[in-house]
Amino acid sequence: MELTQELCKAARGLKQWSVKELAEAAGLSVDTLRSFESGRTKRLSVGNQNAAVTAFEAAGIEFIPENGGGAGVRFAERGKGGQRHSSSHPA
């Protein structure tokens, strides 16, 4: 899966993270992320993309693959009260 500008912004929006907060969580520079999200940089390097995706996933964001309906992001499965759980049954 390629992390697009739109998916990155959407994932940040779900977490209510600023660019600075994502940069800190992913170990990337604020300038790198701003350049990417604004479209000045068309794509992140593989290493930077992996770092951003890993940070989002560690924070409870799940990336939905493009499967005919388009790629997207959502919160990973959570239990009652917003807590994540490992059960295979949706909350």
Side-chain angles (χ1 to χ4, degrees):
M1 179 213 77
E2 180 179 350
L3 182 65
T4 64
Q5 291 101 343
E6 294 82 7
L7 287 173
C8 189
K9 287 188 253 186
R12 271 197 321 103
L14 280 176
K15 283 303 297 176
Q16 298 181 350
W17 275 356
S18 66
V19 172
K20 182 179 178 188
E21 288 169 312
L22 172 56
E24 290 171 358
L28 301 174
S29 76
V30 170
D31 288 341
T32 294
L33 291 170
R34 282 193 180 136
S35 180
F36 173 62
E37 286 192 355
S38 72
R40 287 189 313 261
T41 301
K42 296 299 179 194
R43 57 180 55 147
L44 292 173
S45 70
V46 172
N48 287 349
Q49 176 176 289
N50 288 342
V53 169
T54 298
F56 283 130
E57 289 175 343
I61 297 296
E62 181 177 13
F63 289 88
I64 305 165
E66 188 166 341
N67 57 3
V73 296
R74 64 182 172 202
F75 287 111
E77 185 177 330
R78 297 184 299 176
K80 292 182 181 177
Q83 299 298 315
R84 292 178 63 192
H85 62 86
S86 60
S87 170
S88 62
H89 303 287

